[in-house]
Amino acid sequence: IMEVLIMPESPGVDNKIAVVRPSGRMMEPFETSRIHKRVKKHIDQGNPWVVIDLGNVEWMNSKGIGMLVSCLTSCRDGDGLMVVARPSKKVKSLLMISQVIRLFDSYGSVREAKRALLEMKTAGTG
């Protein structure tokens, strides 16, 4: 199950941040490719600024890690950026052990992640 929200940051201003909320386990190609396809859809629609909310992800393996890296690469290729929010201790530990955590910023809440992305977007960082 996955929920995707597009959240306008400022009324009348095109500062949208996509929030993708996967849940459960990110371990199979079917699950991980769905998330990457969803992120790519937002990029194709001109919205390459994405928060992946990991708050409901119980666990992931190398497929999940690879999906996060692919999403980050796709966002960067689209002149945007991806960050993660709310990783559990278990997931954060895996991201740290694999050293993938060095590739993208991680935030304790979706709100913090959106605020940081909006600042980066406004500053032209990506």
Side-chain angles (χ1 to χ4, degrees), residues 35-102:
I35 296 164
H36 189 222
K37 284 179 187 173
R38 186 68 67 135
V39 169
K40 285 185 68 93
K41 181 179 177 183
H42 292 297
I43 294 166
D44 292 345
Q45 294 172 348
N47 190 25
W49 298 84
V50 178
V51 174
I52 305 283
D53 179 2
L54 297 175
N56 294 320
V57 172
E58 298 166 15
W59 186 242
M60 68 174 65
N61 63 8
S62 60
K63 300 275 189 243
I65 292 171
M67 178 274 304
L68 290 175
V69 173
S70 294
C71 288
L72 174 66
T73 301
S74 295
C75 288
R76 285 181 175 168
D77 288 349
D79 294 325
L81 196 58
M82 182 207 85
V83 298
V84 298
R86 301 188 326 128
S88 67
K89 287 183 182 181
K90 201 169 162 182
V91 169
K92 191 168 187 172
S93 172
L94 177 66
L95 296 175
M96 290 171 61
I97 289 168
S98 65
Q99 297 190 12
V100 173
I101 197 79
R102 294 178 179 195

